[in-house]
Amino acid sequence: MRSVGNSTSRESPWNGRRATWWGFCAGRDPALRREYVSLSAHHDHVGFDRSPVDHDSLRAFNRVVRPMGADSPMRSTTDAEQASIRTILDSLRAVRGPRPDSIRNGADDDGSGTVAILEIAEAFALASGNQRPRRSILFISHTGEEAGLLGSRWYSDHPTVPIDSIVGEIDQDMIGRGTASDFPRGGTGAGSPTYLEVIGAKRISREFGEMLEAANAKQPVPFVFDYTYDAPAHPLQYYCRADHYSYARYGIPSVAFSRGEHLDYHQVTDEAQYISYPDLARVAQMVHDGALAVANAPERPRRDVPKPVDPHAACRQ
């Protein structure tokens, strides 16, 4: 990450490679500036395919059979599904020819989150006077998330500030979609302009989650926080699969925000052309305001549960 205002930036080694870029904006309150609100995302993805696939053919197939991309199980198609796929592909072929591709660019996962924290960092760096937060704001971009939260685990085990000085952690992962053509989750909300998946916000500190809800309520078009995937024992295990957990295991109130999965999840088709930039900007603004609220609170968010004894214990959804 580039330096931000009066802040500093640094890279940390991990297995001989760059793991984490971090920077911070210093808080304006001398009594609180050594406490931090952490904002994070991850800048790795899942590489490339050895054999190129046709972009439009893959999207047509996933539109019908795998609406959550890699999180939808691969299965055989019915005759009716084959007909639907052919209809979609024929309409695309009328516009353009095959587009073979092998690179998984990860525009939403998690290019969307990484650009959001840069925009938020710029906003905080340009703030002056009472618009500056009382506490300091950390901006952390991890790698190794797709390999099992390796970058965020490394950073939280070897933090650049005392780990107990981090009063809250907000992770943004896949915040650039959630449009009407994306996964509808049984018609219950995804694909709506107000849909936002929220994981972990109140598990450690209800006060922390309520601060974020209050900041969201003040937005011009508030999101509807959807806690479905935060449920204990949910089979998709989202609580254990996002970088916020690397901080939660140290007892830090932590949340992961996402606009939800879609047919391009972990596919070569996760490209910038499908990002909803207005929606991405809305999430970033809400996260900025939520972080500001936590940073300006008189006291750090109260923990409602004991601090974990062993941060290296297995995660439980």
Side-chain angles (χ1 to χ4, degrees):
M1 179 180 288
R2 65 184 181 180
S3 296
V4 183
N6 296 324
S7 71
T8 183
S9 64
R10 177 179 172 185
E11 65 188 65
S12 53
W14 165 62
N15 288 348
R17 297 184 297 175
R18 293 175 179 174
T20 295
W21 286 95
W22 69 277
F24 72 92
C25 281
R28 62 180 167 85
D29 189 329
L32 295 176
R33 66 167 52 125
R34 294 186 183 278
E35 294 183 350
Y36 301 85
V37 178
S38 169
L39 306 183
S40 69
H42 71 89
H43 57 261
D44 67 317
H45 198 43
V46 292
F48 64 95
D49 292 341
R50 296 292 178 181
S51 300
V53 297
D54 175 56
H55 182 108
D56 293 329
S57 295
L58 178 60
R59 286 205 101 220
F61 179 86
N62 283 357
R63 173 70 63 196
V64 176
V65 180
R66 304 184 79 192
M68 295 178 72
D71 264 356
S72 291
M74 184 65 78
R75 59 176 177 79
S76 300
T77 56
T78 65
D79 290 344
E81 289 172 335
Q82 285 281 11
S84 295
I85 294 168
R86 175 49 56 188
T87 298
I88 295 171
L89 187 57
D90 286 347
S91 67
L92 294 172
R93 286 286 183 264
V95 178
R96 55 181 174 255
R99 297 187 291 165
D101 194 2
S102 62
I103 305 299
R104 300 182 183 228
N105 294 299
D108 189 34
D109 186 16
D110 186 27
S112 59
T114 57
V115 300
I117 61 171
L118 287 174
E119 289 298 310
I120 296 169
E122 182 175 43
F124 277 120
L126 295 175
S128 60
N130 289 338
Q131 298 303 310
R132 291 175 54 210
R134 297 178 66 192
R135 290 179 176 83
S136 298
I137 310 292
L138 276 174
F139 306 97
I140 309 175
S141 184
H142 303 292
T143 195
E145 190 269 356
E146 302 290 3
L149 314 186
L150 299 183
S152 59
R153 281 182 174 272
W154 194 99
Y155 180 83
S156 54
D157 285 340
H158 308 84
T160 51
V161 300
I163 193 67
D164 287 338
S165 69
I166 301 176
V167 306
E169 148 71 4
I170 303 174
D171 186 61
Q172 298 173 88
D173 195 345
M174 297 176 63
I175 60 168
R177 296 286 291 267
T179 57
S181 62
D182 290 324
F183 182 60
R185 200 165 62 72
T188 58
S192 160
T194 61
Y195 179 77
L196 190 70
E197 293 172 6
V198 183
I199 312 296
K202 299 181 180 179
R203 286 201 178 200
I204 294 172
S205 169
R206 176 168 292 275
E207 183 179 33
F208 175 71
E210 289 173 348
M211 286 183 186
L212 299 177
E213 289 178 338
N216 175 61
K218 296 176 182 178
Q219 301 302 306
V221 181
F223 293 98
V224 175
F225 282 13
D226 190 305
Y227 293 94
T228 299
Y229 296 114
D230 192 38
H234 193 285
L236 288 177
Q237 299 283 303
Y238 283 1
Y239 182 72
C240 299
R241 287 172 55 184
D243 281 326
H244 79 290
Y245 176 70
S246 293
Y247 299 82
R249 68 196 175 106
Y250 278 97
I252 298 169
S254 304
V255 64
F257 286 126
S258 177
R259 287 278 283 159
E261 291 182 315
H262 43 74
L263 73 164
D264 302 306
Y265 172 63
H266 281 196
Q267 310 293 299
V268 299
T269 53
D270 186 1
E271 296 185 348
Q273 69 191 84
Y274 304 120
I275 296 295
S276 171
Y277 293 97
D279 288 325
L280 192 162
R282 289 175 52 232
V283 177
Q285 182 65 61
M286 184 272 293
V287 168
H288 170 279
D289 295 352
L292 184 62
V294 176
N296 284 342
E299 304 291 337
R300 63 191 297 158
R302 294 185 302 273
R303 274 200 299 260
D304 301 319
V305 297
K307 184 178 179 180
V309 175
D310 181 9
H312 301 290
C315 178
R316 295 181 62 182
Q317 169 71 27

